[in-house]
Amino acid sequence: MKRLFRHIYLQKRFFIVVTAIVFSFLLSYMVENIFGAIKVLFYVFTLLLIVDVLLLFTSKGKLVGQRILPDKLSNGDDNLIQLEITNTYLFQVNTKIIDEIPFQFQKRDFGLTSKIASGGSKSYNYMLRPTERGVYSFGSLNLFAISPIGFLAKKYEFNLDQKVSVYPSFLQLQKYDLIAFTNRLHEYGLKKIRRIGHTMEFEQIKDYVLGDDIRNINWKATAKRNQLMVNQYQDEKSQPIYSVIDKGRVMKMPFDELSLLDYAINATLVISNIAIKKHDKAGMFSFSDKIENRVVAERRSSQMNLILETLYNLETNFIETDFSRLYIDVKRNLNQRSLLLLYTNFETLDALHRQLPYLQAIAKQHLLVVIFFENTELNKFATEKAETVHQIFEQTIAEKFIYEKKLIVNELRKYGIQTILTKPENLTINTINKYLEIKARGLI
């Protein structure tokens, strides 16, 4: 009996009918000749309630539910969660579905309602967008079966304590991989850049077309074919491409619920995959007060899985970043000239000047690209209409910080250091653009 009552949930219709009967009994004290009718109404209600209990708890039917989760969730992306519900009752059932979503999403009002015919099944899909890496725990999938009478509901529980890990954005990786494969990169802002120079790795002789470098004309082939022929070269392959991630406190700043560190992690995963597809070696490491999470640049089948697992465990330690430590480690461990994509953030010109000597020293031996972020909240605030003197003063300060970001770009370029100043949401696209530009210009 205790088990029976534990699964009974009274519905809104039950309370409405009970309230109506109570008021009817009260009204019978003031109005003659209605007490008998009200008693009949009460008996009918009691009979229907008993029938409702019998339908839900003594029949052989039931609700069967299943939550279908992917093997892992992609951080910062919409992930599909599927629910499969089957009704084996001999009658149509109204269902309420309450899925216990991990606490990280802070969704306390998730619920679905539907009708499922006898012997029928229905699928329900919803999307979740995680913003933190780690293990997420789903609770129970709670199903409430309501008969056509609708006074009571019977509760069913399924899929207790399912766990799924949230990894760096592998969905973004798949998207850009497919776009690159179908040659549709230009639709996402990824542009072809005309080659300025070339390496000495010969590929083929081809017909001359307008725009080809006349210095590459092959005069012997031209004489044989009686038309202009040029030598075509391809990029030198298997160059080391390192993503260097600053995991100091400056990278904990959030934008659109994701930290700058997570934006850098997602971009690292994508650019590493593209570098390997372009026949380069991809690697990574992180730094703050010491160098950690090192993956040596290689071009092997297991490299992407190794990078993915390393990025999954990467966390900021909230301390000041030591660029001198980065310089010492690069000088000691990277003997071959490499492309270093440095993900960090500078808010002021003074912050850059403290680290500039180390960046210059690194740039002498390697091709260094410093990638840092626009403060999109400041940009939005600076464009709002100011109505008071105080707001004008605040917008002036905001514009000063925005302008200082541009000064940082100019200062780095003055010393021959490649830079990317980007909005967090455009980080991946802009990083790929810069990599393709560097490859096209033969800088590495």
Side-chain angles (χ1 to χ4, degrees):
M1 184 62 69
K2 181 179 178 181
R3 184 180 178 183
L4 174 66
F5 281 109
R6 190 178 67 179
H7 290 90
I8 290 179
Y9 287 80
L10 303 178
Q11 298 301 294
K12 184 178 180 180
R13 184 178 297 180
F14 172 86
F15 292 105
I16 292 174
V17 174
V18 169
T19 302
I21 291 175
V22 169
F23 277 103
S24 298
F25 275 116
L26 293 176
L27 186 62
S28 68
Y29 285 98
M30 296 176 284
V31 180
E32 297 180 356
N33 302 324
I34 66 169
F35 183 73
I38 295 172
K39 284 177 63 178
V40 173
L41 179 64
F42 174 74
Y43 293 141
V44 171
F45 166 70
T46 304
L47 179 61
L48 289 174
L49 188 61
I50 293 172
V51 172
D52 206 2
V53 172
L54 294 175
L55 286 173
L56 292 174
F57 291 89
T58 64
S59 64
K60 295 182 179 180
K62 61 181 180 179
L63 286 182
V64 179
Q66 181 184 13
R67 182 197 300 119
I68 303 173
L69 296 177
D71 294 333
K72 52 183 178 287
L73 300 181
S74 178
N75 193 28
D77 299 314
D78 289 329
N79 296 265
L80 178 65
I81 310 298
Q82 295 178 293
L83 304 177
E84 297 282 348
I85 313 297
T86 301
N87 172 26
T88 63
Y89 281 107
L90 299 178
F91 51 87
Q92 177 177 278
V93 170
N94 294 320
T95 59
K96 289 184 180 179
I97 305 169
I98 298 177
D99 198 4
E100 295 179 3
I101 294 173
F103 70 89
Q104 289 93 337
F105 296 101
Q106 292 297 302
K107 289 188 177 182
R108 308 297 184 186
D109 57 349
F110 178 86
L112 299 170
T113 59
S114 182
K115 294 181 179 180
I116 305 178
S118 174
S121 297
K122 278 194 175 182
S123 298
Y124 305 88
N125 299 330
Y126 64 93
M127 309 299 289
L128 290 179
R129 181 179 179 266
T131 56
E132 297 177 7
R133 284 165 288 116
V135 178
Y136 284 51
S137 297
F138 286 78
S140 302
L141 173 59
N142 302 288
L143 306 180
F144 296 87
I146 306 170
S147 74
I149 297 175
F151 290 149
L152 305 174
K154 183 179 180 180
K155 180 182 177 182
Y156 295 89
E157 288 185 88
F158 301 95
N159 296 109
L160 300 176
D161 299 326
Q162 283 183 293
K163 298 182 185 297
V164 62
S165 297
V166 175
Y167 276 78
S169 181
F170 55 86
L171 291 181
Q172 192 180 77
L173 180 150
Q174 294 169 2
K175 180 182 75 171
Y176 286 112
D177 193 22
L178 178 62
I179 292 168
F181 182 75
T182 56
N183 199 27
R184 292 174 53 237
L185 290 170
H186 63 280
E187 297 179 12
Y188 287 79
L190 302 177
K191 51 189 179 295
K192 290 184 178 180
I193 299 171
R194 184 171 174 266
R195 173 186 291 275
I196 295 175
H198 59 76
T199 61
M200 297 306 294
E201 188 170 344
F202 176 78
E203 184 177 12
Q204 64 177 351
I205 300 174
K206 70 179 188 69
D207 294 337
Y208 173 85
V209 295
L210 188 64
D212 284 338
D213 192 342
I214 60 174
R215 293 174 297 179
N216 294 334
I217 294 177
N218 188 317
W219 294 108
K220 290 183 179 180
T222 297
K224 290 180 180 179
R225 293 287 300 275
N226 198 27
Q227 67 180 49
L228 286 176
M229 306 292 292
V230 295
N231 295 330
Q232 183 174 337
Y233 298 87
Q234 65 180 3
D235 294 332
E236 188 177 343
K237 298 177 181 179
S238 297
Q239 300 300 307
I241 313 297
Y242 278 95
S243 296
V244 185
I245 302 176
D246 180 354
K247 63 175 185 178
R249 58 183 179 82
V250 297
M251 296 294 283
K252 194 61 179 176
M253 187 180 297
F255 289 94
D256 195 21
E257 300 180 336
L258 278 178
S259 67
L260 296 182
L261 180 66
D262 280 308
Y263 281 108
I265 287 172
N266 291 343
T268 294
L269 189 64
V270 174
I271 197 66
S272 298
N273 182 59
I274 290 179
I276 290 175
K277 294 294 177 67
K278 291 285 187 180
H279 307 285
D280 283 326
K281 300 176 183 178
M284 62 152 292
F285 56 90
S286 66
F287 73 105
S288 54
D289 60 330
K290 58 184 177 180
I291 307 300
E292 296 178 308
N293 310 107
R294 187 190 303 277
V295 177
V296 178
E298 295 287 350
R299 187 175 175 265
R300 54 189 176 188
S301 58
S302 61
Q303 188 73 353
M304 282 307 302
N305 187 60
L306 180 59
I307 291 173
L308 178 63
E309 292 294 336
T310 304
L311 291 172
Y312 172 73
N313 295 303
L314 199 154
E315 293 292 344
T316 182
N317 50 20
F318 297 100
I319 62 177
E320 189 71 26
T321 304
D322 186 356
F323 278 79
S324 65
R325 178 71 63 179
L326 173 65
Y327 164 67
I328 293 171
D329 185 86
V330 168
K331 184 176 179 61
R332 182 178 299 166
N333 295 298
L334 299 185
N335 299 320
Q336 182 180 354
R337 178 175 167 81
S338 307
L339 170 61
L340 304 182
L341 300 171
L342 172 59
Y343 300 93
T344 185
N345 197 33
F346 296 111
E347 290 294 334
T348 65
L349 201 56
D350 288 337
L352 171 67
H353 283 151
R354 288 195 297 270
Q355 314 300 345
L356 190 56
Y358 307 113
L359 298 178
Q360 287 179 264
I362 294 172
K364 288 180 181 178
Q365 303 297 325
H366 303 276
L367 180 56
L368 176 63
V369 180
V370 176
I371 306 168
F372 62 109
F373 300 88
E374 294 181 20
N375 192 324
T376 53
E377 296 297 325
L378 276 182
N379 292 346
K380 182 180 177 181
F381 177 74
T383 57
E384 293 178 352
K385 183 178 180 180
E387 297 180 350
T388 65
V389 174
H390 183 70
Q391 290 176 340
I392 293 174
F393 176 76
E394 289 180 337
Q395 285 191 345
T396 302
I397 299 298
E399 289 172 357
K400 176 183 179 297
F401 279 108
I402 294 171
Y403 179 67
E404 198 151 357
K405 290 275 189 178
K406 297 177 182 178
L407 292 179
I408 292 172
V409 173
N410 292 334
E411 189 74 6
L412 287 167
R413 288 176 178 171
K414 185 171 70 174
Y415 292 98
I417 299 174
Q418 301 271 345
T419 62
I420 300 175
L421 174 60
T422 177
K423 295 179 180 178
E425 62 268 24
N426 296 334
L427 172 64
T428 301
I429 289 175
N430 290 334
T431 303
I432 297 172
N433 261 333
K434 177 59 72 172
Y435 169 71
L436 295 179
E437 176 188 345
I438 289 170
K439 292 288 290 182
R441 296 176 63 185
L443 298 180
I444 188 71

